[in-house]
Amino acid sequence: MASTFAHGAQPVAPGPRFNFAQHLIDCNVSRPAKIALIDDVGQLSYGELAEGIRRVAAGLLALGLRREERVLLLMHDSSDWVLSFLGAMYAGLVPVAVNTLLTADDYAFMLQHSRAQAALVSDALLPILRQAMEQGGQEVQTVIVSRPGAELGAGEVSLDALIERSAPLAQVAATSPDDPGFWLYSSGSTGRPKGTTHTHANPYWTAELYGKPILGLLEKDICFSAAKLFFAYGLGNGLSFPLSVGATVVLMAERPTPDATFKRWKEQQPTVFFGAPTGFAGMLASAKLPAKSEVALRLVSSAGEALPADLGQRFTAHYGVEIIDGIGSTEMLHVYLSNIPGKVRYGTTGWPVPGYDIELRGDDGLQVADGETGDLYVRGPSAALLYWGNREKTRETFQGAWTKSGDKYVRNADGTYTYSGRSDDMLKVSGIYVSPFEVEATLVQHPAVLEAAVIGMTDSEGLTKTKAYVVLKSGQTATAEELKAFVKERLAPYKYPRVIEFLPELPKTATGKIQRFKLREMDNTAA
């Protein structure tokens, strides 16, 4: 199903020579004094950003790095992250942006898998990188450290020193739109993460198709993303989108707890905030939730997991601002199915973003009718090239022009789409599909429930039943029978969870997604 709404003409495709870092520099030549980045220690203007990108590029090449070699980027969000990422791309290198919350084993795998020749790292993350390099970083020649707080070891240099000693690179690498630009790793919630290879043109397309026309970002906006830059979602929110329009970005190194988020809302007065459902739930449950008069929000975005309608409605009731819920993926780089400002349908993920086509297919590969659940396939210009070194998974996911998302959806009569869970999370109870998300979204409407996760359990007869794991809000109480009755009153009776177990917290990936496979393992162990 093609896009059902439009916001102007299709953007012009990049020419045969295109470098995304140079593109962002060109977008902002007229505003050198405008503040581009504000982080925990200072700020950079657009003029300083452009010069810094070129200096980082020159410094990396001076270290002996060559075109298309990978460099690991393990940094907390800061202006140094942006300089490192874009500086590498400007030089024709391929930054591999990785999650800052992983283990040394994970980083050792990523170093080996990407064959990174250098690593750029925040000082606080240097110890775990050193540990990872002992396990699998034999090809790394140099480690470049952002804002080091102590004396560096052999093969380690300060990023500031590298920038200071390097004259700006005069000539950008002659890359093409389809050249490898950077890698992002999948979250790895079901196994080893996959190295997703994106082109120089892909972030251009996400900004042109979503950041500008759908979100309507403006030069005067101040953007703040709870999702970090190493996420596909965060990369668009905190880099590609705002820097494409000359906006200002607020970057925060620490984890986006409610308190940390509220501090930036009040001190930096962002006009656009990018979050995720788990974060919104925590914020709305906080006694420190700022009043509407204390913030400057005009637009709020959500992705990562489907947004329960109740969360969106409560947020809007408090702030008078809509949450624009959408779905994207590491493979497509950003959102391709989204609600629209001024036309939000809470409980749905909205409409196809212009420039992307959506199909819902059944097990037979044919498109399903409206109202029926199908696997979501998406076609659009920001799709990744491949999973590096993983031909089997590449073929399974990237099928010609189409990308298989792994999500199940229902298309509604008004053209919106409603999330029905992951393909491997759908449950068939009494011969009927049950969406774990639908049950979870209902449970969290109960005033005592903070979070919920639903899995399938096998009963004594080998039949699948639903089981819910529930986290209660601090100081709140509820019984399993009370919650079962609550769900029965709101959903078809067969959908209520037959068993409810209370936990102090749900297991999650470092990206904040619920690890239902761990809950299934817990359930199998208990059985």
Side-chain angles (χ1 to χ4, degrees), residues 245-270:
V245 299
T248 297
V249 183
V250 175
L251 298 169
M252 177 177 74
E254 64 186 298
R255 296 185 70 172
T257 62
D259 286 353
T261 299
F262 298 157
K263 183 175 186 287
R264 271 72 180 184
W265 280 7
K266 292 192 281 189
E267 291 183 358
Q268 303 297 344
Q269 293 289 294

PDB file of all heavy atoms in Angstrom, residues 245-270:
ATOM      1  N   VAL A 245      18.424  21.265   8.863  1.00  0.00           N
ATOM      2  CA  VAL A 245      17.611  22.492   8.792  1.00  0.00           C
ATOM      3  C   VAL A 245      18.230  23.643   9.580  1.00  0.00           C
ATOM      4  O   VAL A 245      17.654  24.722   9.669  1.00  0.00           O
ATOM      5  CB  VAL A 245      16.170  22.243   9.286  1.00  0.00           C
ATOM      6  CG1 VAL A 245      15.484  21.195   8.424  1.00  0.00           C
ATOM      7  CG2 VAL A 245      16.143  21.843  10.759  1.00  0.00           C
ATOM      8  N   GLY A 246      19.398  23.417  10.174  1.00  0.00           N
ATOM      9  CA  GLY A 246      20.048  24.488  10.926  1.00  0.00           C
ATOM     10  C   GLY A 246      19.499  24.689  12.317  1.00  0.00           C
ATOM     11  O   GLY A 246      19.641  25.779  12.890  1.00  0.00           O
ATOM     12  N   ALA A 247      18.882  23.681  12.880  1.00  0.00           N
ATOM     13  CA  ALA A 247      18.359  23.776  14.244  1.00  0.00           C
ATOM     14  C   ALA A 247      19.488  23.553  15.254  1.00  0.00           C
ATOM     15  O   ALA A 247      20.625  23.245  14.891  1.00  0.00           O
ATOM     16  CB  ALA A 247      17.248  22.749  14.456  1.00  0.00           C
ATOM     17  N   THR A 248      19.164  23.710  16.537  1.00  0.00           N
ATOM     18  CA  THR A 248      20.116  23.484  17.619  1.00  0.00           C
ATOM     19  C   THR A 248      19.800  22.155  18.293  1.00  0.00           C
ATOM     20  O   THR A 248      18.633  21.813  18.488  1.00  0.00           O
ATOM     21  CB  THR A 248      20.041  24.617  18.653  1.00  0.00           C
ATOM     22  OG1 THR A 248      20.423  25.854  18.021  1.00  0.00           O
ATOM     23  CG2 THR A 248      20.967  24.362  19.838  1.00  0.00           C
ATOM     24  N   VAL A 249      20.847  21.409  18.651  1.00  0.00           N
ATOM     25  CA  VAL A 249      20.682  20.094  19.271  1.00  0.00           C
ATOM     26  C   VAL A 249      21.216  20.122  20.696  1.00  0.00           C
ATOM     27  O   VAL A 249      22.321  20.610  20.934  1.00  0.00           O
ATOM     28  CB  VAL A 249      21.440  19.008  18.482  1.00  0.00           C
ATOM     29  CG1 VAL A 249      21.193  17.633  19.094  1.00  0.00           C
ATOM     30  CG2 VAL A 249      21.030  19.026  17.017  1.00  0.00           C
ATOM     31  N   VAL A 250      20.439  19.589  21.625  1.00  0.00           N
ATOM     32  CA  VAL A 250      20.889  19.383  23.002  1.00  0.00           C
ATOM     33  C   VAL A 250      21.311  17.927  23.139  1.00  0.00           C
ATOM     34  O   VAL A 250      20.523  17.017  22.858  1.00  0.00           O
ATOM     35  CB  VAL A 250      19.767  19.706  24.017  1.00  0.00           C
ATOM     36  CG1 VAL A 250      20.216  19.367  25.441  1.00  0.00           C
ATOM     37  CG2 VAL A 250      19.355  21.172  23.915  1.00  0.00           C
ATOM     38  N   LEU A 251      22.542  17.694  23.566  1.00  0.00           N
ATOM     39  CA  LEU A 251      23.095  16.350  23.713  1.00  0.00           C
ATOM     40  C   LEU A 251      23.395  16.081  25.176  1.00  0.00           C
ATOM     41  O   LEU A 251      23.943  16.933  25.875  1.00  0.00           O
ATOM     42  CB  LEU A 251      24.369  16.202  22.882  1.00  0.00           C
ATOM     43  CG  LEU A 251      24.204  16.365  21.369  1.00  0.00           C
ATOM     44  CD1 LEU A 251      25.566  16.461  20.692  1.00  0.00           C
ATOM     45  CD2 LEU A 251      23.401  15.210  20.778  1.00  0.00           C
ATOM     46  N   MET A 252      23.074  14.889  25.642  1.00  0.00           N
ATOM     47  CA  MET A 252      23.222  14.529  27.043  1.00  0.00           C
ATOM     48  C   MET A 252      23.954  13.202  27.149  1.00  0.00           C
ATOM     49  O   MET A 252      23.528  12.204  26.570  1.00  0.00           O
ATOM     50  CB  MET A 252      21.832  14.429  27.687  1.00  0.00           C
ATOM     51  CG  MET A 252      21.833  13.978  29.133  1.00  0.00           C
ATOM     52  SD  MET A 252      20.149  13.974  29.828  1.00  0.00           S
ATOM     53  CE  MET A 252      19.447  12.511  29.035  1.00  0.00           C
ATOM     54  N   ALA A 253      25.043  13.162  27.906  1.00  0.00           N
ATOM     55  CA  ALA A 253      25.832  11.935  28.015  1.00  0.00           C
ATOM     56  C   ALA A 253      25.146  10.894  28.884  1.00  0.00           C
ATOM     57  O   ALA A 253      25.210   9.700  28.595  1.00  0.00           O
ATOM     58  CB  ALA A 253      27.210  12.261  28.577  1.00  0.00           C
ATOM     59  N   GLU A 254      24.491  11.322  29.969  1.00  0.00           N
ATOM     60  CA  GLU A 254      23.924  10.362  30.916  1.00  0.00           C
ATOM     61  C   GLU A 254      22.671   9.690  30.371  1.00  0.00           C
ATOM     62  O   GLU A 254      22.114  10.093  29.349  1.00  0.00           O
ATOM     63  CB  GLU A 254      23.604  11.062  32.239  1.00  0.00           C
ATOM     64  CG  GLU A 254      22.532  12.132  32.140  1.00  0.00           C
ATOM     65  CD  GLU A 254      22.355  12.896  33.451  1.00  0.00           C
ATOM     66  OE1 GLU A 254      21.977  12.256  34.457  1.00  0.00           O
ATOM     67  OE2 GLU A 254      22.598  14.119  33.456  1.00  0.00           O
ATOM     68  N   ARG A 255      22.224   8.658  31.081  1.00  0.00           N
ATOM     69  CA  ARG A 255      21.035   7.933  30.659  1.00  0.00           C
ATOM     70  C   ARG A 255      19.810   8.830  30.822  1.00  0.00           C
ATOM     71  O   ARG A 255      19.735   9.652  31.742  1.00  0.00           O
ATOM     72  CB  ARG A 255      20.883   6.648  31.457  1.00  0.00           C
ATOM     73  CG  ARG A 255      22.026   5.665  31.218  1.00  0.00           C
ATOM     74  CD  ARG A 255      21.807   4.340  31.915  1.00  0.00           C
ATOM     75  NE  ARG A 255      20.727   3.588  31.301  1.00  0.00           N
ATOM     76  CZ  ARG A 255      20.426   2.321  31.608  1.00  0.00           C
ATOM     77  NH1 ARG A 255      21.123   1.695  32.541  1.00  0.00           N
ATOM     78  NH2 ARG A 255      19.443   1.688  31.014  1.00  0.00           N
ATOM     79  N   PRO A 256      18.816   8.656  29.938  1.00  0.00           N
ATOM     80  CA  PRO A 256      17.652   9.558  29.951  1.00  0.00           C
ATOM     81  C   PRO A 256      16.621   9.197  31.012  1.00  0.00           C
ATOM     82  O   PRO A 256      15.483   8.826  30.704  1.00  0.00           O
ATOM     83  CB  PRO A 256      17.099   9.400  28.534  1.00  0.00           C
ATOM     84  CG  PRO A 256      17.434   7.994  28.163  1.00  0.00           C
ATOM     85  CD  PRO A 256      18.788   7.724  28.795  1.00  0.00           C
ATOM     86  N   THR A 257      17.010   9.277  32.263  1.00  0.00           N
ATOM     87  CA  THR A 257      16.046   9.079  33.341  1.00  0.00           C
ATOM     88  C   THR A 257      15.049  10.232  33.337  1.00  0.00           C
ATOM     89  O   THR A 257      15.319  11.293  32.757  1.00  0.00           O
ATOM     90  CB  THR A 257      16.765   9.043  34.690  1.00  0.00           C
ATOM     91  OG1 THR A 257      17.399  10.317  34.901  1.00  0.00           O
ATOM     92  CG2 THR A 257      17.810   7.940  34.740  1.00  0.00           C
ATOM     93  N   PRO A 258      13.905  10.065  33.989  1.00  0.00           N
ATOM     94  CA  PRO A 258      12.969  11.196  34.064  1.00  0.00           C
ATOM     95  C   PRO A 258      13.621  12.457  34.618  1.00  0.00           C
ATOM     96  O   PRO A 258      13.443  13.552  34.064  1.00  0.00           O
ATOM     97  CB  PRO A 258      11.860  10.666  34.974  1.00  0.00           C
ATOM     98  CG  PRO A 258      11.830   9.193  34.692  1.00  0.00           C
ATOM     99  CD  PRO A 258      13.284   8.822  34.526  1.00  0.00           C
ATOM    100  N   ASP A 259      14.392  12.339  35.696  1.00  0.00           N
ATOM    101  CA  ASP A 259      15.016  13.525  36.301  1.00  0.00           C
ATOM    102  C   ASP A 259      15.989  14.198  35.343  1.00  0.00           C
ATOM    103  O   ASP A 259      16.015  15.434  35.233  1.00  0.00           O
ATOM    104  CB  ASP A 259      15.741  13.141  37.590  1.00  0.00           C
ATOM    105  CG  ASP A 259      14.784  12.861  38.744  1.00  0.00           C
ATOM    106  OD1 ASP A 259      13.564  13.089  38.573  1.00  0.00           O
ATOM    107  OD2 ASP A 259      15.250  12.407  39.801  1.00  0.00           O
ATOM    108  N   ALA A 260      16.818  13.394  34.642  1.00  0.00           N
ATOM    109  CA  ALA A 260      17.782  13.965  33.699  1.00  0.00           C
ATOM    110  C   ALA A 260      17.067  14.645  32.534  1.00  0.00           C
ATOM    111  O   ALA A 260      17.481  15.710  32.060  1.00  0.00           O
ATOM    112  CB  ALA A 260      18.716  12.875  33.181  1.00  0.00           C
ATOM    113  N   THR A 261      15.994  14.030  32.076  1.00  0.00           N
ATOM    114  CA  THR A 261      15.210  14.614  30.982  1.00  0.00           C
ATOM    115  C   THR A 261      14.554  15.911  31.417  1.00  0.00           C
ATOM    116  O   THR A 261      14.608  16.930  30.701  1.00  0.00           O
ATOM    117  CB  THR A 261      14.143  13.610  30.512  1.00  0.00           C
ATOM    118  OG1 THR A 261      14.787  12.427  30.037  1.00  0.00           O
ATOM    119  CG2 THR A 261      13.303  14.206  29.389  1.00  0.00           C
ATOM    120  N   PHE A 262      13.936  15.907  32.587  1.00  0.00           N
ATOM    121  CA  PHE A 262      13.267  17.113  33.084  1.00  0.00           C
ATOM    122  C   PHE A 262      14.256  18.272  33.240  1.00  0.00           C
ATOM    123  O   PHE A 262      13.923  19.429  32.979  1.00  0.00           O
ATOM    124  CB  PHE A 262      12.592  16.839  34.428  1.00  0.00           C
ATOM    125  CG  PHE A 262      11.509  15.790  34.382  1.00  0.00           C
ATOM    126  CD1 PHE A 262      11.152  15.093  35.538  1.00  0.00           C
ATOM    127  CD2 PHE A 262      10.854  15.474  33.197  1.00  0.00           C
ATOM    128  CE1 PHE A 262      10.161  14.124  35.511  1.00  0.00           C
ATOM    129  CE2 PHE A 262       9.862  14.503  33.163  1.00  0.00           C
ATOM    130  CZ  PHE A 262       9.516  13.822  34.319  1.00  0.00           C
ATOM    131  N   LYS A 263      15.481  17.955  33.678  1.00  0.00           N
ATOM    132  CA  LYS A 263      16.503  18.990  33.858  1.00  0.00           C
ATOM    133  C   LYS A 263      16.770  19.711  32.537  1.00  0.00           C
ATOM    134  O   LYS A 263      16.832  20.944  32.483  1.00  0.00           O
ATOM    135  CB  LYS A 263      17.791  18.345  34.381  1.00  0.00           C
ATOM    136  CG  LYS A 263      18.927  19.305  34.685  1.00  0.00           C
ATOM    137  CD  LYS A 263      20.099  18.539  35.303  1.00  0.00           C
ATOM    138  CE  LYS A 263      21.198  19.492  35.768  1.00  0.00           C
ATOM    139  NZ  LYS A 263      21.935  20.069  34.632  1.00  0.00           N
ATOM    140  N   ARG A 264      16.915  18.949  31.448  1.00  0.00           N
ATOM    141  CA  ARG A 264      17.157  19.585  30.130  1.00  0.00           C
ATOM    142  C   ARG A 264      15.920  20.321  29.640  1.00  0.00           C
ATOM    143  O   ARG A 264      16.026  21.376  29.033  1.00  0.00           O
ATOM    144  CB  ARG A 264      17.589  18.526  29.111  1.00  0.00           C
ATOM    145  CG  ARG A 264      19.107  18.290  29.077  1.00  0.00           C
ATOM    146  CD  ARG A 264      19.556  17.560  30.300  1.00  0.00           C
ATOM    147  NE  ARG A 264      21.000  17.304  30.331  1.00  0.00           N
ATOM    148  CZ  ARG A 264      21.591  16.596  31.292  1.00  0.00           C
ATOM    149  NH1 ARG A 264      20.855  16.044  32.264  1.00  0.00           N
ATOM    150  NH2 ARG A 264      22.899  16.429  31.306  1.00  0.00           N
ATOM    151  N   TRP A 265      14.752  19.757  29.886  1.00  0.00           N
ATOM    152  CA  TRP A 265      13.525  20.444  29.472  1.00  0.00           C
ATOM    153  C   TRP A 265      13.461  21.841  30.067  1.00  0.00           C
ATOM    154  O   TRP A 265      13.090  22.800  29.391  1.00  0.00           O
ATOM    155  CB  TRP A 265      12.300  19.647  29.936  1.00  0.00           C
ATOM    156  CG  TRP A 265      11.945  18.478  29.074  1.00  0.00           C
ATOM    157  CD1 TRP A 265      12.663  17.979  28.024  1.00  0.00           C
ATOM    158  CD2 TRP A 265      10.789  17.651  29.198  1.00  0.00           C
ATOM    159  NE1 TRP A 265      12.014  16.886  27.484  1.00  0.00           N
ATOM    160  CE2 TRP A 265      10.863  16.669  28.181  1.00  0.00           C
ATOM    161  CE3 TRP A 265       9.709  17.641  30.069  1.00  0.00           C
ATOM    162  CZ2 TRP A 265       9.892  15.691  28.018  1.00  0.00           C
ATOM    163  CZ3 TRP A 265       8.739  16.660  29.906  1.00  0.00           C
ATOM    164  CH2 TRP A 265       8.821  15.702  28.894  1.00  0.00           C
ATOM    165  N   LYS A 266      13.819  21.931  31.330  1.00  0.00           N
ATOM    166  CA  LYS A 266      13.675  23.213  32.036  1.00  0.00           C
ATOM    167  C   LYS A 266      14.852  24.161  31.781  1.00  0.00           C
ATOM    168  O   LYS A 266      14.659  25.367  31.672  1.00  0.00           O
ATOM    169  CB  LYS A 266      13.492  22.964  33.533  1.00  0.00           C
ATOM    170  CG  LYS A 266      12.160  22.292  33.863  1.00  0.00           C
ATOM    171  CD  LYS A 266      11.832  22.298  35.341  1.00  0.00           C
ATOM    172  CE  LYS A 266      12.562  21.247  36.104  1.00  0.00           C
ATOM    173  NZ  LYS A 266      12.074  21.110  37.498  1.00  0.00           N
ATOM    174  N   GLU A 267      16.062  23.601  31.659  1.00  0.00           N
ATOM    175  CA  GLU A 267      17.235  24.462  31.498  1.00  0.00           C
ATOM    176  C   GLU A 267      17.467  24.887  30.053  1.00  0.00           C
ATOM    177  O   GLU A 267      17.798  26.046  29.781  1.00  0.00           O
ATOM    178  CB  GLU A 267      18.480  23.752  32.035  1.00  0.00           C
ATOM    179  CG  GLU A 267      18.487  23.585  33.541  1.00  0.00           C
ATOM    180  CD  GLU A 267      19.774  22.935  34.037  1.00  0.00           C
ATOM    181  OE1 GLU A 267      20.634  22.583  33.181  1.00  0.00           O
ATOM    182  OE2 GLU A 267      19.923  22.776  35.263  1.00  0.00           O
ATOM    183  N   GLN A 268      17.314  23.950  29.119  1.00  0.00           N
ATOM    184  CA  GLN A 268      17.612  24.234  27.710  1.00  0.00           C
ATOM    185  C   GLN A 268      16.372  24.606  26.907  1.00  0.00           C
ATOM    186  O   GLN A 268      16.489  25.076  25.777  1.00  0.00           O
ATOM    187  CB  GLN A 268      18.306  23.036  27.058  1.00  0.00           C
ATOM    188  CG  GLN A 268      19.593  22.603  27.747  1.00  0.00           C
ATOM    189  CD  GLN A 268      20.681  23.662  27.711  1.00  0.00           C
ATOM    190  OE1 GLN A 268      20.616  24.621  26.944  1.00  0.00           O
ATOM    191  NE2 GLN A 268      21.695  23.499  28.553  1.00  0.00           N
ATOM    192  N   GLN A 269      15.197  24.358  27.447  1.00  0.00           N
ATOM    193  CA  GLN A 269      13.927  24.706  26.802  1.00  0.00           C
ATOM    194  C   GLN A 269      13.818  24.169  25.372  1.00  0.00           C
ATOM    195  O   GLN A 269      13.549  24.928  24.423  1.00  0.00           O
ATOM    196  CB  GLN A 269      13.726  26.224  26.813  1.00  0.00           C
ATOM    197  CG  GLN A 269      13.517  26.810  28.203  1.00  0.00           C
ATOM    198  CD  GLN A 269      12.147  26.438  28.786  1.00  0.00           C
ATOM    199  OE1 GLN A 269      11.112  26.860  28.272  1.00  0.00           O
ATOM    200  NE2 GLN A 269      12.151  25.641  29.847  1.00  0.00           N
ATOM    201  N   PRO A 270      14.043  22.862  25.172  1.00  0.00           N
ATOM    202  CA  PRO A 270      13.861  22.306  23.823  1.00  0.00           C
ATOM    203  C   PRO A 270      12.417  22.465  23.366  1.00  0.00           C
ATOM    204  O   PRO A 270      11.485  22.366  24.165  1.00  0.00           O
ATOM    205  CB  PRO A 270      14.240  20.835  23.996  1.00  0.00           C
ATOM    206  CG  PRO A 270      14.026  20.548  25.446  1.00  0.00           C
ATOM    207  CD  PRO A 270      14.373  21.817  26.153  1.00  0.00           C
TER     208      PRO A 270
END
